[in-house]
Amino acid sequence: MALHYLNKYGLLGVHLSSKFELRRISKAVNGTVLPRLIPPTPQELGYCDLVCVEELGDTPLIAFRQESKESRIVTVVIRGATDNYMDDIERAIDDGVNTFKCLARDGRFVPGAGAVEAELAVQLLKYADTLPGLEQYAVRKFATALEAFPKAIAENSGHRATVVLEKILDAHQNGRKNEGVDIESDNATCDTLEKNILDLYSCKYWGLKYAVGAAATILRVDQIIMAKRAGGPKARKPAGSDDES
């Protein structure tokens, strides 16, 4: 019945296979999704400058285009030779979009390339020397865990991680707080601010906060209860049922 009236009045009908696509289209045209078939109000109707059928490669698609600056959604089309290549591009774009979103909320940056973690490790080691008893051992282990960040960057770059880590820690102990891993030179370090290697402050803050929270949660576990297998015990085989060789 719906197709009859669409054909009669020259309306375009679009078949949507998921609620995700329905929500995206409603956001693109600034419309309201109606749970039942009723006449929409002017406030519920959306608007789109152009709705057309196009082809992208060999794939036909229906494009909703908003020519004005009031568009609330943008689609980025990724094309590549292999799935792995497109996955890498998708992750890079996703990281860039999330970085921009975080910048809109908090525009602060910190030195990258492992410089922040190395400086925190050095400061924690100094702080551990002021603590009595067993507390200093916990602080020292936390500082050692932070050293894994620049070490991992050096290993992934093909450098000797221990050599690079020693150079970075020595630089931070001498007051060069911005020293990080230089992936372009063999087993070398660099000033991250001079090379414009920066990380988001909010990313570092929440990453360290959640990591500490997860570690503290594990340390607070004082009892583990093993659940029994559901269904009760296995049925016993009757005597003499085993096959004789």
Side-chain angles (χ1 to χ4, degrees):
M1 183 64 67
L3 293 177
H4 168 73
Y5 285 105
L6 289 175
N7 187 33
K8 179 178 179 181
Y9 293 101
L11 300 175
L12 174 64
V14 180
H15 174 71
L16 302 177
S17 57
S18 65
K19 293 182 180 179
F20 175 75
E21 295 180 354
L22 180 61
R23 288 194 294 265
R24 282 178 59 85
I25 292 179
S26 64
K27 187 176 181 179
V29 301
N30 198 19
T32 303
V33 179
L34 299 178
R36 58 187 182 275
L37 192 61
I38 57 174
T41 62
Q43 292 77 15
E44 295 171 341
L45 283 174
Y47 175 79
C48 189
D49 292 323
L50 178 63
V51 181
C52 57
V53 179
E54 298 180 357
E55 284 191 6
L56 184 62
D58 296 331
T59 304
L61 53 87
I62 299 176
F64 293 79
R65 298 187 180 277
Q66 294 281 21
E67 305 298 339
S68 62
K69 296 182 179 180
E70 298 178 357
S71 178
R72 302 174 58 190
I73 191 170
V74 175
T75 301
V76 179
V77 180
I78 300 174
R79 304 180 68 178
T82 62
D83 292 338
N84 292 333
Y85 180 71
M86 289 189 292
D87 291 339
D88 292 339
I89 297 177
E90 183 180 3
R91 282 191 292 268
I93 294 176
D94 188 62
D95 292 342
V97 171
N98 290 329
T99 300
F100 183 79
K101 289 170 62 177
C102 293
L103 280 175
R105 301 171 184 172
D106 190 347
R108 289 178 291 179
F109 282 97
V110 293
V116 172
E117 291 80 6
E119 180 63 22
L120 289 176
V122 171
Q123 295 297 330
L124 285 174
L125 288 175
K126 294 179 180 179
Y127 173 68
D129 295 335
T130 64
L131 297 176
L134 297 177
E135 293 182 359
Q136 60 177 309
Y137 294 102
V139 177
R140 289 183 184 277
K141 284 298 181 181
F142 191 88
T144 304
L146 289 174
E147 295 175 1
F149 287 87
K151 186 177 180 180
I153 296 175
E155 289 179 349
N156 294 337
S157 304
H159 303 329
R160 297 175 60 184
T162 56
V163 175
V164 176
L165 182 60
E166 289 178 0
K167 292 181 179 179
I168 292 177
L169 294 178
D170 182 67
H172 282 263
Q173 290 173 356
N174 293 328
R176 291 181 289 171
K177 300 181 179 181
N178 301 325
E179 203 74 10
V181 181
D182 187 1
I183 63 174
E184 297 178 352
S185 303
D186 293 337
N187 304 325
T189 62
C190 65
D191 191 321
T192 56
L193 293 185
E194 291 181 358
K195 289 203 170 186
N196 201 22
I197 303 174
L198 305 173
D199 288 332
L200 279 175
Y201 166 78
S202 58
C203 179
K204 292 289 185 182
Y205 173 80
W206 289 107
L208 289 173
K209 184 175 181 179
Y210 286 142
V212 173
T217 301
I218 295 175
L219 293 175
R220 283 195 296 265
V221 175
D222 57 356
Q223 186 178 7
I224 299 177
I225 301 175
M226 300 296 294
K228 294 183 179 180
R229 187 184 298 273
K234 295 183 179 180
R236 295 182 178 179
K237 294 183 179 180
S241 60
D242 296 338
D243 297 334
E244 297 181 359
S245 58

